[in-house]
Amino acid sequence: MSQMYQVRLASSVTRSVQAGDAVSYPLRLTGILPEEDLLELLRQALQRRGFVAPEGSQRSTAEEENPQLLTGQGSAGERIVVDLDAMTVTASLAEEADLATEVDVVGMGYSRKQAAEEARQDLEERRRQAEARLAREGKMVQKELTRRLADSDEERRGQLHEVLQEVYAEALKRKAGELGDVMEVREGTTPDGQYELVIKVAQ
Amino acid sequence: MEALQRIARFVWVPFVARLLLEGRVTNSPHSVLPLDEPEALTSDTVADVREIIRRGVWAYLVRHGGWRRTRFVDPRTDRAGEGRLWQAPHLEPPTFSPGSIRLLLLLFNATRTPAPAPATMMPNAGPRFQPAVDLPFDLSKSGDVLLHHIVFRRLRDVNRNDDWTARFAANPLNLLSHPHLFDVETAAAREPLARLLDDDLHPFLPWLAHDQVRAWSRLMPNHSLSSDGVLNQRQRQVWKTWTRLLVKAGRYDMLVPFVAFWSRLDPDSALRDFERLAGDCRLEERSELARPWVELLELGTWLHKTSGRVRALHPVDREAVHQLFLTACGEYDFDRVAAGIERLIQGLRPSLG
């Protein structure tokens, strides 16, 4: 009676995934005051909300050379960079993941050599399948990151619009002061939830 | 020589007539005609071709918008009027140089098939220009500009391949009607386009505009923008140059075709098209896809701001060119159109502030 040989082979399949995405918004400021004054108000408002100049390892080469940058963090963990020179706001997310899986096969044959060859071929095929599966998982990591960044868009823009609202309120107060004596300043919200600022000026 | 003269008289002359009057480009297996042997063309042949050119150019202009009652401004008198092309004041008959004859000879030669192929009326008979051969084009004669444009349009009708179109880039009418075909830098486009504002050419423009808008509307599938970013960039390049030239020259009346173009845009359809195009792209890729769209749309926004500046002029200070422009803006409800453009821009690339 012939003897069947079995050869078992195992291997690890790994894949490093670097996922990242970014979205930029142009910043448009209504010219209530001269641009440099508005930008200074914006800088101060951002700093009050925790925005700082990028430091150390956070900085890219371009950022090191640009003193007009302020960075902060959004609710989805994204990095927000406000460029007061280029008048843009950029939100970015980056993630690294190491994906791994094990494959093992058993080859059978009437000789050790035959069994080893079958195991080797099987292993190759299983590795290819595992690599394809990890590639798909890697794409899912990227897709999920993009989804997080996209989903947080409305909240992020809402927060930045609140910052701009503060800037415009302060700018209007200063402008009113230039027009005459400010008699009254009243801030509040309308019944439908809109911000309202009333400034009375005596000329 | 007699053989060449017969070919010129009995093949080339009908070829020119069919091209200009019927828009057909015919191939046939005949010898090419020499370009630098005037004896190959008898005086009768040259006289006939000159007459065909004169009539053909005029017939094309009339059929492609000249017959329409169109509003125009006579900048010499600052008076607005309305009428058909032949009623335009100070309209000088087009003048032609010998280059017009040479152009038609070159075109004839480029569309010959080697014998013994049978004669055919080939619907896709595109020209096969030799790479070293330059097409003659003299901007100084109004007739040459118009003829060159008509030849270009006729060839485009029969052959949509783009391999020969670059040879027609020097003609400002071609740049205007088909901006997406030509890769021109702003500075390179400025001089030829400025030629259109000269007295011998600008009177034709209000009527040529009908044809231009029709050509531009083919760039708007489903009343949206083209998905081809390069096409959008080229379109923007030419239009930006031309509209800035018009404003600088005070020719606000000539901005009307752009108001007509933008009024055809359906922002909702465009946004749906873009979402299909962007699909599962990363946000960075999406932003890059959106860029040529946004840059083109910003021309519409600029046009609306221009209309605002013109509207801010006191009625007493408004000239006929301003009034014609504002009338068109009102008729096309350009405020609503501009709001749609802005809504689309925000959908493609939201801004803050």
Side-chain angles (χ1 to χ4, degrees):
Chain A
M1 189 170 144
S2 309
Q3 198 175 359
M4 288 295 286
Y5 287 86
Q6 284 189 353
V7 171
R8 172 178 246 108
L9 294 177
S11 176
S12 296
V13 180
T14 60
R15 186 182 186 90
S16 281
V17 174
Q18 289 179 325
D21 209 347
V23 61
S24 262
Y25 316 95
L27 199 49
R28 297 181 192 171
L29 294 179
T30 306
I32 301 169
L33 295 176
E35 191 182 85
E36 58 268 23
D37 294 347
L38 284 172
L39 288 176
E40 189 48 38
L41 287 177
L42 179 56
R43 180 191 295 276
Q44 291 167 11
L46 288 168
Q47 284 170 338
R48 280 195 295 275
R49 286 177 180 245
F51 278 73
V52 296
E55 288 177 9
S57 62
Q58 279 189 322
R59 278 194 288 200
S60 66
T61 311
E63 289 172 359
E64 280 179 14
E65 299 166 357
N66 190 345
Q68 296 280 38
L69 297 182
L70 291 167
T71 66
Q73 198 170 45
S75 57
E78 74 275 29
R79 183 164 182 258
I80 301 176
V81 177
V82 180
D83 188 333
L84 297 176
D85 217 9
M87 297 293 283
T88 56
V89 177
T90 304
S92 59
L93 262 181
E95 210 171 272
E96 284 182 16
D98 288 320
L99 306 176
T101 189
E102 301 288 326
V103 293
D104 69 82
V105 297
V106 174
M108 296 181 63
Y110 290 105
S111 68
R112 202 189 304 279
K113 186 177 174 184
Q114 192 182 29
E117 180 58 24
E118 185 181 287
R120 190 190 62 74
Q121 285 179 6
D122 242 355
L123 185 69
E124 241 176 71
E125 178 57 27
R126 292 285 297 278
R127 280 187 63 88
R128 259 198 301 271
Q129 289 171 1
E131 278 161 5
R133 196 168 58 248
L134 289 186
R136 283 194 298 274
E137 282 180 29
K139 284 185 181 165
M140 292 308 298
V141 170
Q142 173 63 63
K143 210 165 170 174
E144 173 59 26
L145 182 143
T146 293
R147 188 195 60 76
R148 279 199 346 251
L149 193 59
D151 285 352
S152 58
D153 181 71
E154 200 176 319
E155 188 181 343
R156 179 168 50 247
R157 285 198 287 132
Q159 286 168 353
L160 290 166
H161 276 128
E162 281 177 15
V163 171
L164 290 173
Q165 196 173 273
E166 274 179 42
V167 170
Y168 288 142
E170 184 56 35
L172 283 167
K173 288 172 194 169
R174 288 195 191 179
K175 187 73 182 177
E178 290 171 15
L179 297 173
D181 294 326
V182 174
M183 306 301 289
E184 183 187 349
V185 175
R186 200 171 62 241
E187 292 181 71
T189 50
T190 60
D192 57 357
Q194 299 284 324
Y195 171 77
E196 187 181 55
L197 172 67
V198 177
I199 306 175
K200 287 188 180 169
V201 178
Q203 287 182 309
Chain B
M1 189 54 66
E2 274 187 29
L4 289 174
Q5 288 175 346
R6 269 200 299 277
I7 290 172
R9 183 134 191 89
F10 299 110
V11 183
W12 179 57
V13 172
F15 166 84
V16 172
R18 275 195 282 267
L19 173 72
L20 291 183
L21 298 172
E22 298 173 20
R24 290 189 298 165
V25 179
T26 54
N27 283 18
S28 57
H30 290 285
S31 304
V32 298
L33 290 170
L35 300 173
D36 298 309
E37 289 179 37
E39 315 83 64
L41 307 179
T42 63
S43 54
D44 284 345
T45 298
V46 172
D48 285 348
V49 166
R50 279 196 180 133
E51 184 63 14
I52 291 170
I53 289 172
R54 192 183 66 77
R55 290 179 185 231
V57 166
W58 187 251
Y60 182 92
L61 291 174
V62 169
R63 284 191 200 134
H64 290 79
W67 63 271
R68 291 177 183 268
R69 287 187 64 79
T70 301
R71 283 193 285 253
F72 60 87
V73 172
D74 179 359
R76 292 189 205 186
T77 59
D78 192 35
R79 279 203 172 159
E82 187 171 342
R84 305 182 206 279
L85 176 62
W86 53 88
Q87 295 168 317
H90 311 295
L91 187 73
E92 297 167 15
T95 56
F96 301 88
S97 74
S100 61
I101 303 278
R102 189 177 169 86
L103 172 66
L104 293 169
L105 281 171
L106 273 168
L107 188 61
F108 176 79
N109 290 348
T111 49
R112 295 310 93 204
T113 54
T120 58
M121 304 276 263
M122 291 170 63
N124 291 319
R128 294 177 303 278
F129 292 112
Q130 293 302 312
V133 170
D134 275 329
L135 291 187
F137 181 56
D138 183 358
L139 268 174
S140 64
K141 299 286 185 187
S142 60
D144 285 356
V145 175
L146 291 166
L147 175 68
H148 193 266
H149 177 60
I150 292 167
V151 165
F152 168 73
R153 295 299 295 272
R154 293 301 197 200
L155 291 178
R156 278 290 295 174
D157 286 341
V158 298
N159 188 332
R160 291 295 171 117
N161 293 332
D162 295 340
D163 52 349
W164 52 268
T165 55
R167 294 164 183 270
F168 287 79
N171 188 327
L173 289 177
N174 300 346
L175 289 179
L176 268 190
S177 67
H178 290 73
H180 58 294
L181 293 180
F182 302 105
D183 187 9
V184 287
E185 294 294 325
T186 302
R190 203 172 287 130
E191 191 191 322
L193 286 169
R195 171 73 177 92
L196 292 177
L197 295 175
D198 291 342
D199 286 345
D200 60 340
L201 275 174
H202 77 75
F204 294 97
L205 294 184
W207 289 274
L208 282 171
H210 295 294
D211 206 35
Q212 282 164 4
V213 174
R214 197 164 51 238
W216 296 344
S217 68
R218 291 193 205 111
L219 303 178
M220 294 186 105
N222 303 321
H223 298 278
S224 174
L225 295 182
S226 169
S227 59
D228 185 337
V230 171
L231 183 153
N232 291 337
Q233 273 174 334
R234 290 177 176 181
Q235 192 177 345
R236 171 186 170 266
Q237 196 84 325
V238 171
W239 283 7
K240 187 175 176 183
T241 308
W242 177 233
T243 51
R244 290 339 184 245
L245 275 171
L246 288 175
V247 168
K248 195 173 173 187
R251 296 307 306 265
Y252 292 88
D253 53 321
M254 305 278 203
L255 294 173
V256 170
F258 296 97
V259 177
F261 172 81
W262 287 116
S263 74
R264 293 173 182 232
L265 179 71
D266 179 345
D268 297 323
S269 173
L271 196 55
R272 278 194 300 271
D273 279 352
F274 181 78
E275 293 299 336
R276 269 193 293 271
L277 185 67
D280 281 335
C281 286
R282 291 168 49 241
L283 297 180
E284 263 180 318
E285 289 158 352
R286 183 192 161 94
S287 176
E288 194 49 36
L289 272 177
R291 192 173 49 79
W293 286 52
V294 170
E295 287 176 349
L296 183 57
L297 288 164
E298 282 174 342
L299 290 186
T301 306
W302 172 88
L303 189 64
H304 185 245
K305 285 183 185 160
T306 301
S307 73
R309 282 196 294 275
V310 171
R311 204 177 308 159
L313 292 173
H314 195 282
V316 166
D317 294 326
R318 286 181 199 162
E319 297 171 2
V321 289
H322 299 123
Q323 201 50 56
L324 195 150
F325 176 48
L326 289 180
T327 301
C329 289
E331 285 171 353
Y332 284 106
D333 195 2
F334 199 47
D335 287 343
R336 179 192 55 79
V337 170
I341 292 173
E342 187 56 32
R343 198 171 76 243
L344 178 53
I345 290 176
Q346 288 301 314
L348 296 172
R349 188 203 60 188
S351 62
L352 296 168

